[in-house]
């Protein structure tokens, strides 16, 4: 009999990752509820309408979905992987015939599935309690789909790559969380992007979250709102290119810098 | 037939030479113990054999493969070995059964999951989450994960550190069971009695070099070392060093006409021999 293929083992790892994640109840509840709590807070504080038919909640939902991609992928992995390294979990895996590709596939499956649950819950609560409207055209749903696919792939790859940065498992959260929060403020998740200072907009434009957020706005806001974007349009093809470049950067560095143990 | 073949192995970290010309041959089916103080080069040597570390110089063949190989050949190599590292300290949110079943999927010819649970004595704990296990039970799980792929060669790294004496005895019985199945085992340990109980041969390593390779009974000339015969006469302790304690005892027996008061015959323990070897090397 042959050794199982990397893809086969990757799927098995994915199932295992989800099972392990689902058993950490506090963490599941927190991950899933946090965006909803934020939506409730911001939706209640900012009662303003940004444009005809665009409530702040509507604007905020696009930002929260984009952030969700960053949280479940980049943030979660850049914290969990250094911990798995410190606990010896990775070294144990390294001693088995399971290839590193399977480990990455398993993580990607975890990210995508927790992402999908989070988005579904956020949208359901948004529609039920905060007057959020879902997109009506199939073009917008299609845009939504590819944004989630490329976005979570890039987020996963960058999370694995960034996991090489924290020196210890315990310190990982302290290194990673501020990066994500600052990025969220800069990228127009909490505020209307074009209201931010120009330098902040320029810094944000280097990173993928700004583009993901803009893409999500194109899905959830009416096309008339595109006029208020920096370029005066949604720039969908530019968004796709920039996200793909970041995906490439993430894959390159995760393959190069991934470490099984601390030495 | 040899399973591990090492010659002239060297590895340095900066200016520190961790392994300094090690030669080693380990035969199929034997339990081989590598003894040495912390920093002697034990872990570095074993991790090179496991494929975790790269060597600077020397020839290494493990199951006929160079362990530093990469890619598909490295997967094939790891399909044939089992590694029991120090316990992991992860959250342990999976059950014993789930963990062992999952790992069994990594290998081309895994052993039966229930049979392995039985062998390590965890059948009654199969549904228990790993985080609820005691230290000894976790170690048994580590061994289960090491043997689930039916390895031809098993690496055991300080398997009983932190065990109480009873747990160690029953762990040794588990390892004895593997010997019967023909698995070659490379054991590193701090405990001399463990090496004596389990190993067919031991190697003492210090400062990156192998000082001696021998059976536990013969290490450091132990088998031919002088025996110390002690007894008591009129509240006074007497002792005699001799190469033939039987002769001394029968002489004493006739002298006392029966029972010799507080008779003791001791030979140097493996620990005495080991400490003198390590001390002599300093």
């Amino acid at each position: 009999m042959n050794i199982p293929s990397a893809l086969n083992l990757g799927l098995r790892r994915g199932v295992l990752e989800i099972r392990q994640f689902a058993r950490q109840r506090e963490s599941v509840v927190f991950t899933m509820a946090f965006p909803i709590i934020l939506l409730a807070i911001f939706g209640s504080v900012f009662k303003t309408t940004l444009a005809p038919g665009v409530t702040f909640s509507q604007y905020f939902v696009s930002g929260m979905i984009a952030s969700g991609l960053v949280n479940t992928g980049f943030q979660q992995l850049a914290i969990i992987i250094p911990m798995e390294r410190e606990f010896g979990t990775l070294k144990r895996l390294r001693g088995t015939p399971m290839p590193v590709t399977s480990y990455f596939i398993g993580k990607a499956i975890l990210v995508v599935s927790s992402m999908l649950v989070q988005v579904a819950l956020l949208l359901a609560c948004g529609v039920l309690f905060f007057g959020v409207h879902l997109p009506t055209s199939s073009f917008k749903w299609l845009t939504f789909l590819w944004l989630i696919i490329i976005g979570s792939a890039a987020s996963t790859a960058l999370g694995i790559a960034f996991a090489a940065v924290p020196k210890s498992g315990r310190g990982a959260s302290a290194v990673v969380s501020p990066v994500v929060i600052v990025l969220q403020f800069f990228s127009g998740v909490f505020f209307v992007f074009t209201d931010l200072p120009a330098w902040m907009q320029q810094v944000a434009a280097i990173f993928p979250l700004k583009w993901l957020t803009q893409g999500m706005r194109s899905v959830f806001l009416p096309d008339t709102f595109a006029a208020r974007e920096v370029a005066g349009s949604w720039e969908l093809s530019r968004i796709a290119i920039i996200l793909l470049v970041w995906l490439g950067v993430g894959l390159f560095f995760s393959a190069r810098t991934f470490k099984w143990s601390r030495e | 037939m040899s399973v591990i073949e090492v010659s002239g192995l060297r590895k340095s970290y900066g200016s520190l030479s961790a392994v300094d010309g090690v030669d080693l041959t380990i035969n199929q089916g034997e339990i081989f113990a590598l003894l040495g103080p912390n920093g002697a080069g034990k872990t570095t040597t074993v991790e090179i054999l496991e494929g975790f570390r790269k060597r600077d110089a020397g020839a290494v063949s493990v199951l006929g493969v160079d362990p530093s190989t990469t890619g598909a050949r490295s997967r094939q190599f790891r399909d044939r070995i089992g590694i029991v590292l120090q316990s992991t300290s992860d959250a342990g949110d999976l059950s014993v059964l789930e963990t062992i079943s999952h790992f069994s999927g990594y290998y081309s010819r895994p052993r039966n999951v229930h049979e392995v649970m039985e062998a390590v004595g965890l059948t009654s704990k199969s549904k228990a989450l790993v985080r609820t296990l005691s230290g000894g039970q976790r170690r048994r799980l580590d061994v289960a994960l090491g043997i689930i792929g039916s390895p031809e060669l098993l690496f055991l790294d300080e398997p009983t550190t932190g065990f109480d004496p009873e747990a160690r005895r029953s762990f040794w019985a588990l390892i004895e069971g593997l010997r019967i199945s023909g698995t070659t085992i490379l054991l590193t340990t701090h405990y001399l009695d463990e090496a004596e109980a389990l190993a067919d041969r031991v190697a003492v390593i210090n400062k990156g070099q192998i000082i001696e390779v021998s059976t536990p009974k013969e290490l450091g000339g132990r088998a031919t070392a002088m025996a110390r015969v002690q007894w008591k006469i009129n509240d006074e302790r007497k002792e005699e060093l001799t190469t033939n304690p039987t002769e001394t005892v029968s002489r004493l027996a006739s002298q006392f006409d029966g029972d010799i008061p507080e008779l003791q015959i001791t030979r140097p323990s493996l620990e005495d021999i080991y400490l003198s070897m390590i001390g002599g090397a300093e």
Side-chain angles (χ1 to χ4, degrees):
Chain A
M1 236 171 83
N2 291 321
I3 310 178
S5 74
L7 180 63
N8 174 338
L9 288 185
L11 298 177
R12 286 182 66 110
R13 290 239 21 115
V15 173
L16 192 84
E17 296 271 10
I18 292 170
R19 192 179 287 167
Q20 270 175 310
F21 176 71
R23 285 190 187 161
Q24 291 170 342
R25 261 185 224 141
E26 305 87 350
S27 145
V28 174
V29 170
F30 186 76
T31 313
M32 299 302 164
F34 190 58
I36 298 169
I37 293 168
L38 282 185
L39 177 63
I41 295 171
F42 278 80
S44 318
V45 173
F46 300 101
K47 291 287 189 192
T48 48
T49 338
L50 301 174
V54 182
T55 60
F56 190 82
S57 295
Q58 190 76 27
Y59 185 91
F60 191 61
V61 154
S62 9
M64 281 320 290
I65 290 177
S67 299
L69 284 165
V70 174
N71 291 331
T72 50
F74 179 79
Q75 187 172 17
Q76 183 181 214
L77 296 184
I79 292 172
I80 282 184
I81 294 174
M83 287 172 82
E84 289 188 336
R85 188 180 298 133
E86 183 158 304
F87 291 156
T89 314
L90 292 186
K91 193 172 182 183
R92 164 172 288 171
L93 291 174
R94 170 77 175 85
T96 73
M98 186 210 62
V100 67
T101 333
S102 308
Y103 177 77
F104 289 176
I105 293 172
K107 288 290 181 214
I109 291 173
L110 172 67
V111 168
V112 171
S113 49
S114 54
M115 173 67 207
L116 289 179
V117 175
Q118 193 181 320
V119 167
L121 282 174
L122 183 67
L123 286 181
C125 289
V127 170
L128 288 174
F129 307 117
F130 304 104
V132 170
H133 300 290
L134 296 181
T136 45
S137 79
S138 52
F139 177 79
K140 292 206 168 195
W141 280 111
L142 204 67
T143 309
F144 190 50
L145 190 69
W146 70 252
L147 278 171
I148 285 197
I149 293 170
I150 305 178
S152 49
S155 184
T156 302
L158 290 168
I160 295 171
F162 198 80
V165 174
K167 290 228 159 42
S168 74
R170 258 158 297 173
S173 169
V175 177
V176 177
S177 303
V179 173
V180 172
I181 292 170
V182 168
L183 210 54
Q184 286 177 327
F185 276 102
F186 278 37
S187 302
V189 170
F190 301 117
F191 308 108
V192 176
F193 186 70
T194 43
D195 291 350
L196 296 173
W199 67 270
M200 227 181 244
Q201 293 185 21
Q202 279 151 11
V203 172
I206 303 169
F207 298 102
L209 180 56
K210 181 257 175 190
W211 301 98
L212 268 175
T213 320
Q214 186 171 322
M216 289 300 172
R217 282 200 295 272
S218 86
V219 173
F220 289 95
L221 303 188
D223 284 333
T224 48
F225 200 84
R228 288 187 53 180
E229 294 293 337
V230 179
S233 72
W234 295 126
E235 300 181 280
L236 285 181
S237 40
R238 172 174 279 190
I239 292 172
I241 290 166
I242 288 172
L243 291 179
L244 285 171
V245 168
W246 274 105
L247 170 61
V249 169
L251 287 176
F252 177 78
F253 280 102
S254 43
R256 289 287 295 263
T257 64
F258 187 75
K259 286 184 293 220
W260 293 95
S261 59
R262 272 197 289 172
E263 305 93 32
Chain B
M1 209 182 90
S2 65
V3 166
I4 295 178
E5 203 68 76
V6 176
S7 66
L9 180 65
R10 278 170 214 283
K11 173 79 183 179
S12 322
Y13 303 110
S15 62
L16 178 82
S17 180
V19 178
D20 189 14
V22 161
D23 300 317
L24 209 55
T25 302
I26 299 176
N27 300 315
Q28 185 169 33
E30 77 174 333
I31 300 186
F32 191 96
L34 195 54
L35 305 176
N38 287 331
K42 247 181 340 191
T43 307
T44 302
T45 303
V46 171
E47 291 199 338
I48 289 170
L49 299 179
E50 291 167 339
F52 284 149
R53 273 174 210 276
K54 295 217 181 320
R55 60 186 184 269
D56 295 339
V60 177
S61 161
V62 178
L63 297 167
V65 180
D66 179 344
S68 68
T69 182
T70 53
R73 298 189 68 180
S74 161
R75 286 192 69 193
Q76 278 159 13
F77 170 64
R78 289 202 290 271
D79 189 42
R80 297 170 63 199
I81 63 169
I83 301 175
V84 179
L85 298 163
Q86 311 284 327
S87 275
T88 64
S89 50
D90 56 22
D93 284 313
L94 298 171
S95 75
V96 169
L97 178 62
E98 285 168 336
T99 307
I100 303 178
S101 306
H102 176 76
F103 273 76
S104 79
Y106 292 169
Y107 296 89
S108 66
R109 36 188 180 89
R111 289 178 63 172
N112 178 286
V113 173
H114 293 277
E115 193 188 290
V116 166
M117 272 197 300
E118 188 69 47
V120 300
L122 282 177
T123 303
S124 63
K125 288 278 168 191
S126 75
K127 295 217 160 56
L129 295 188
V130 172
R131 66 177 140 89
T132 66
L133 300 182
S134 71
Q137 289 164 340
R138 260 204 183 216
R139 214 73 193 98
R140 286 166 175 276
L141 176 63
D142 293 335
V143 174
L145 299 181
I147 62 173
I148 189 66
S150 11
E152 295 162 53
L153 167 66
L154 181 67
F155 293 93
L156 277 178
D157 186 14
E158 294 176 14
T160 61
T161 300
F163 276 31
D164 61 44
E166 196 191 331
R168 288 177 69 207
R169 298 271 162 190
S170 74
F171 193 88
W172 292 352
L174 164 62
I175 301 307
E176 277 297 327
L178 293 177
R179 179 210 299 275
I180 294 161
S181 68
T183 315
T184 308
I185 296 173
L186 175 55
L187 168 78
T188 59
T189 184
H190 282 309
Y191 299 118
L192 280 298
D193 54 342
E194 185 158 284
E196 184 152 29
L198 292 174
D200 299 309
R201 288 194 302 148
V202 298
V204 177
I205 185 169
N206 197 25
K207 305 204 163 170
Q209 292 179 324
I210 303 271
I211 304 176
E212 194 182 334
V213 181
S214 180
T215 66
K217 293 260 171 295
E218 291 164 329
L219 191 76
R222 190 178 165 205
T224 53
M226 301 259 257
R228 184 184 300 269
V229 181
Q230 291 171 301
W231 70 96
K232 216 168 182 183
I233 181 164
N234 302 332
D235 280 343
E236 196 189 340
R237 294 207 159 277
K238 295 268 184 195
E239 68 170 45
E240 191 177 304
L241 284 174
T242 172
T243 52
N244 189 346
T246 315
E247 194 186 78
T248 310
V249 169
S250 58
R251 197 191 71 227
L252 287 169
S254 58
Q255 190 182 323
F256 281 98
D257 193 19
D259 198 29
I260 309 167
E262 296 186 26
L263 172 69
Q264 256 188 351
I265 306 167
T266 47
R267 288 186 192 270
S269 70
L270 183 58
E271 187 156 340
D272 296 333
I273 296 287
Y274 167 77
L275 289 175
S276 72
M277 291 175 86
I278 300 303
E282 302 245 335

